[in-house]
Amino acid sequence: MAEPARARIALVGAGWWSQGWHLPHLSRNPDCDLVAIVDPSELLRSTLNPDMLQLPELGKHYGVPTFRSHTDLFKSDLKLDGVVIGASHAAHHSIGMAALSSGLNVFMEKPMTTDSKEAKELLDAVTRTGKLFMVNNTANWRPQTQKAHEWVATGRIGVVQHVSCYMGNSLLWLFEDPANAGWCFPTGTMVGNGFAWGQLSHTLAWVLKVSGLIPSSVICDMNYSEKTGADMYDAAIVRCTTGAIICIQGVATLAGEKPKGDGDERPSGKQAEHRIYGSEGYLSYNGVDTKQDSGGLILRRHDGQSEDLPGFDWEDGEQDGIGPLSLQAFIAGCRGKTDIWNGTDARIGYLVVCILEGMYRSARNDGRREALTCSGPAECMRTQSCKKRPRSA
């Protein structure tokens, strides 16, 4: 049987992450062809990368045509299988909708959007078109994530009752510098901006993928940077349609590792902790990002059975090679393969946006409980109660 043709991929949004990760990864992958680069900016610049190439330079470097708008790309004669969207959060919706309308598969940076209505429109478009859609929460493609999902789906911990998740990062340098406007200040229809949109989108995507829970309401409070107004500390309680509770903590001011001393003076370090408790036991997945020996995935049951999967692999930020498992899975899907793991599909992406948007609204309204648009009556009907939950089932 002949091998599928190489995937033809265009990149939309040539910012610092795309230049440091997506473009090199796509250019090295033997299963795809980078066929175009799109960015509307007259001047590409970033406080996170002082050596940004401009669009004409990128086109010359990678040997591909460039476009100033995704509309021009989709109207061109170029044959495409999919697009990687690395544009600003506020642009995700319009680019994603146009790509899906053009019959293309979509690989989108996180978060999916920063507006739940826009996220729902994207979800509906994916459902309508049947195209492959992935949000790049790289931790969701790790083998440990797939095993944790399997444990919950097959009832190894029973019925999920409670979830505790925490993420801490060394990001004072990012969220206290007004020059990092895209990370600190709201744009478009965003309610707020800071650590929740920038980082908690990772841990929430993991929790929702593994647990299978659907959020219905959220209570949240935040503390903010005095310099930028970005949220630096987040605490939230999410009630789910089954009655289960998700407790969320986020800290942007972790005292990180000593700078590497290679010209990058920013401290590094990211802690992630996840515990999912069920009627028959619990699982946990905790550790320090980039330190595989710092933790692992464990299962403990009331009947004494246990299972361990050593090693903590969280986000995949490796710049070398052909990219994270998420991007590799997307390229495989664009080549026609169907037996691929989709760690964060449009549904999970939408639920994450609903929670984060609700957190910002709740915090702005003195911790008022915010009902979430992603839990309609049809979803509540599948549960025993949306308010109370038995100890076991």
Side-chain angles (χ1 to χ4, degrees):
M1 185 175 178
E3 275 289 306
R6 291 159 63 99
R8 298 162 296 190
I9 307 296
L11 175 92
V12 182
W16 75 281
W17 188 265
S18 291
Q19 293 199 25
W21 285 264
H22 290 320
L23 285 169
H25 290 158
L26 290 169
S27 68
R28 297 188 199 111
N29 194 309
D31 291 330
C32 81
D33 291 318
L34 175 67
V35 297
I37 303 172
V38 182
D39 198 286
S41 305
E42 292 296 331
L43 178 62
L44 287 164
R45 59 184 178 183
S46 171
T47 59
L48 306 180
N49 178 4
D51 301 316
M52 296 279 285
L53 296 179
Q54 299 307 305
L55 189 62
E57 295 174 304
L58 289 171
K60 182 177 180 179
H61 180 77
Y62 289 102
V64 298
T66 60
F67 297 83
R68 286 295 181 186
S69 77
H70 63 271
T71 302
D72 290 341
L73 169 67
F74 299 150
K75 287 181 178 179
S76 73
D77 295 329
L78 281 178
K79 302 297 182 183
L80 297 173
D81 297 303
V83 294
V84 171
I85 299 176
S88 65
H89 298 161
H92 283 187
H93 171 260
S94 60
I95 300 170
M97 291 296 290
L100 292 167
S101 297
S102 299
L104 300 176
N105 300 306
V106 173
F107 183 86
M108 183 174 284
E109 269 305 323
K110 59 82 191 168
M112 179 176 176
T113 69
T114 51
D115 183 303
S116 61
K117 292 181 180 178
E118 292 182 349
K120 182 60 164 60
E121 289 181 3
L122 280 169
L123 172 60
D124 290 343
V126 171
T127 302
R128 185 171 59 252
T129 62
K131 305 308 295 185
L132 178 61
F133 188 99
M134 294 180 172
V135 182
N136 192 30
N137 300 108
T138 56
N140 281 26
W141 275 260
R142 297 291 198 176
Q144 296 94 326
T145 305
Q146 298 185 44
K147 177 58 71 174
H149 176 271
E150 176 190 314
W151 285 347
V152 175
T154 58
R156 295 294 301 279
I157 66 169
V159 179
V160 175
Q161 310 261 357
H162 184 85
V163 178
S164 173
C165 59
Y166 152 80
M167 177 174 282
N169 208 338
S170 308
L171 293 176
L172 275 170
W173 59 269
L174 181 65
F175 292 115
E176 292 228 295
D177 184 352
N180 300 318
W183 294 88
C184 299
F185 306 116
T187 56
T189 58
M190 294 176 73
V191 180
N193 202 1
F195 189 79
W197 281 124
Q199 294 298 307
L200 288 182
S201 50
H202 288 295
T203 197
L204 284 173
W206 194 93
V207 164
L208 294 173
K209 179 64 177 181
V210 172
S211 72
L213 294 173
I214 300 172
S216 61
S217 67
V218 63
I219 297 171
C220 181
D221 213 345
M222 297 176 170
N223 282 333
Y224 307 92
S225 166
E226 294 182 359
K227 295 180 179 179
T228 65
D231 59 285
M232 306 284 280
Y233 303 93
D234 307 303
I237 298 175
V238 176
R239 175 71 73 173
C240 298
T241 56
T242 60
I245 295 171
I246 304 173
C247 294
I248 306 163
Q249 294 184 76
V251 175
T253 62
L254 194 68
E257 301 288 335
K258 184 179 179 180
K260 298 177 182 179
D262 56 359
D264 186 350
E265 295 304 313
R266 299 171 298 183
S268 61
K270 181 179 293 187
Q271 298 173 344
E273 299 179 2
H274 310 84
R275 295 176 177 86
I276 303 178
Y277 300 89
S279 56
E280 304 297 330
Y282 78 95
L283 68 82
S284 71
Y285 188 47
N286 311 319
V288 178
D289 198 17
T290 73
K291 294 186 175 182
Q292 191 182 47
D293 61 357
S294 65
L297 178 67
I298 69 169
L299 169 71
R300 298 291 183 269
R301 287 174 47 86
H302 296 320
D303 61 10
Q305 295 182 30
S306 65
E307 195 168 338
D308 293 75
L309 189 62
F312 184 77
D313 293 309
W314 188 236
E315 296 173 41
D316 188 345
E318 181 61 52
Q319 288 185 278
D320 296 332
I322 61 173
L325 294 174
S326 52
L327 184 60
Q328 294 178 46
F330 178 71
I331 291 170
C334 287
R335 298 178 71 208
K337 296 187 177 181
T338 57
D339 58 339
I340 58 172
W341 170 265
N342 192 342
T344 307
D345 59 14
R347 177 178 173 276
I348 296 295
Y350 168 55
L351 296 180
V352 170
V353 172
C354 286
I355 291 177
L356 291 172
E357 183 182 69
M359 285 173 58
Y360 280 101
R361 292 189 184 281
S362 176
R364 188 178 64 176
N365 290 302
D366 298 321
R368 184 184 68 189
R369 182 177 295 276
E370 290 287 325
L372 303 180
T373 58
C374 51
S375 58
E379 289 165 342
C380 279
M381 286 171 61
R382 302 185 317 192
T383 70
Q384 299 175 46
S385 170
C386 289
K387 295 182 178 179
K388 296 182 179 180
R389 182 168 188 75
R391 184 172 180 273
S392 62

